[in-house]
Amino acid sequence: MIPLQAQLPDGGWTYVVSIVAVSLYVSLTAVGLSTLFSLPVALGIGFTDFRGKRLVTAVVNTGMGFPSVVVGLLVLILLSNSGPLGSLDLAFTPRAMILSQFVLATPVLLSVSLSAVEGVDQSVRDAAYAMGGTRVDVGLAVIKEARFGIITAILAGFGRAISEVGSILIVGGNIVYSDGQSYTRTLTTAITVEARQGRYEVGLVLGVILLALVLAVNGLGSWLRNQDRGERSV
Amino acid sequence: MTLSVTDVTAGFGSSTVLRNVSLAVEPGEVVTVVGPSGTGKTTLLRLLATFRRPDAGTVAWDDRDIWTMADDERLGVRRQVSMVFQEPSLFNAPVHRNVSYGLRVREPWQARLRRGLRELVGSSRPADTVVSALETVGLADVGDQNALSLSGGEAQRVAFARALAVDPAVMLLDEPTSNLDPHNTALLENAIERARDRGVGVVVATHDMHQAKRISDRMAFLHDGELVETGLPEQLFENPTDARTARFLDGELLVGDRSGSRAPQSPTADP
């Protein structure tokens, strides 16, 4: 049997580390941006009654099941040389991957945080306002009350982003430098390459790292939910 | 510092909840707004707290229309008025965090960030005003507990302490004791009297006539969205000028009953 070290492509463990780094950089950035976008939007939708609110909510919920390859294709068309954002020269870069993961994570984040925000009793908003809170203070009070639901939303968004493969394969191109450093190769896209080339053990190592990351995220989510239950029963 | 409404009308959609109501609260007095459930007491208090604009009439602070003020100025007025709701409406946080909420939102952002960082490293302690407000309601020892773990009576007293901690000029209390046992009711009424003695103007909406008699300096009887009469408690209890007031005091009048008229014993009195 060929030792794992020998199976690793050029760069050895640096290859693996750089892949993990690119994966985390792309997914954390996408989820961070998505959080900044989704929370105010969730508060806006949750706080106001407007015509078509149910339709908007339905569209957001539908977006959770959006096929990632379709998102990748659309983002690539957008960023390709002949596309409307072609002049930005973003195709096949980590930024393009961030954009596609942002599009994929946002419906998850928005939908879960919207239901968390809508679950906060009106009395919390009333109390924050009546105690002299500004509109921002009222929003922050609601976010604090919905914090565990919102953290769950962020973790769910991260889970969706870190484990998806279709869109980043299309818009990132799965590129590795000749010295084995990853440019746009992530854990998921690397696994597809390793499987195709028969380097199953390397693929398995990457798979275990990916599973460990997802497990850690879920573990964090469960721990926070338990904290919430513990806090309420102090 | 007088908070008042003058000829206000307010409603929801096509239904009118309040009609041409005028009322003012002066510093250091307790005004109770009494009347059957569903008669517009909460809507009146929410108008005074500037939760919404009246459909007609004015809400004023020292005779200046609050709704013609610039946003910053109106916020300044709002921050001199605090409100306690029928339900305690506490945040999922320790009691002292609940009580200090109003103080924290009044701080500049830089101070809030610094305080947040201090709390992260666990080196902050509740402000003296928070401790003092909790002492006023007899709950100085529960500051570190989560507010959601308190009993209904304790929670309502914490809500009162939260409203008191910001040193308001006016407190608006919406049926504050309707879900409380006699012991907690007595504690809260005592706290209301102490606030009044400190010069706070207090408006209490209640349908508990015994309570109104105990704590009022002035009473206003609201029925079906109209202010039927205002006066000293003894005047309303012993010599009501409107038959609806008399019938409500006798326990006969319900919301939606418009059959009242001037009481026969004082036909010329002004309600």
Side-chain angles (χ1 to χ4, degrees), chain B residues 98-118:
Chain B
N98 271 275
V99 177
S100 64
Y101 180 79
L103 297 171
R104 284 184 280 123
V105 298
R106 283 159 175 76
E107 288 178 336
W109 280 103
Q110 299 90 320
R112 290 172 74 173
L113 284 173
R114 274 199 301 273
R115 178 190 291 275
L117 287 174
R118 276 203 306 275

Side-chain angles (χ1 to χ4, degrees), chain A residues 22 30 39 50 65 74 82 88 98 102 108 118 131 137 141 152 155 165-166 169-170 174 178 191 194 201 212-213 222:
Chain A
V22 169
L39 286 189
F50 56 91
L74 293 175
S82 53
L88 297 176
I98 289 169
F102 173 88
V108 178
E118 285 183 327
M131 292 313 303
D137 293 321
T152 304
L155 296 179
V165 57
L169 196 58
I170 293 174
N174 206 12
S178 55
I191 289 169
E194 302 308 328
E201 287 184 33
L213 278 173
S222 322

Side-chain angles (χ1 to χ4, degrees), chain A residues 129 131-133 137 145 147, chain B residues 50 78-79 92 106 112 149:
Chain A
Y129 181 86
M131 292 313 303
D137 293 321
E145 287 300 297
R147 56 191 177 272
Chain B
T50 68
R78 271 211 294 124
R79 288 182 169 175
N92 179 11
R106 283 159 175 76
R112 290 172 74 173
S149 69

Side-chain angles (χ1 to χ4, degrees), chain A residues 122-124 126-134 136-138 140-141 144-145 147-148 228 231-234, chain B residues 46 49-51 75 78-79 81-83 85 89 91-92 97 101-102 105-106 109 112 146 148-149 162-163 166:
Chain A
Q122 169 77 32
S123 65
V124 167
D126 284 354
Y129 181 86
M131 292 313 303
T134 59
V136 173
D137 293 321
V138 173
L140 288 174
K144 272 188 187 164
E145 287 300 297
R147 56 191 177 272
F148 296 103
D228 184 29
E231 221 174 83
R232 282 167 193 268
S233 60
V234 168
Chain B
R46 289 176 76 89
T50 68
F51 270 97
L75 179 65
R78 271 211 294 124
R79 288 182 169 175
V81 180
S82 62
M83 185 164 175
F85 303 89
S89 313
F91 306 121
N92 179 11
R97 295 273 304 168
Y101 180 79
V105 298
R106 283 159 175 76
W109 280 103
R112 290 172 74 173
N146 186 288
L148 302 189
S149 69
R162 179 174 63 184
V166 295

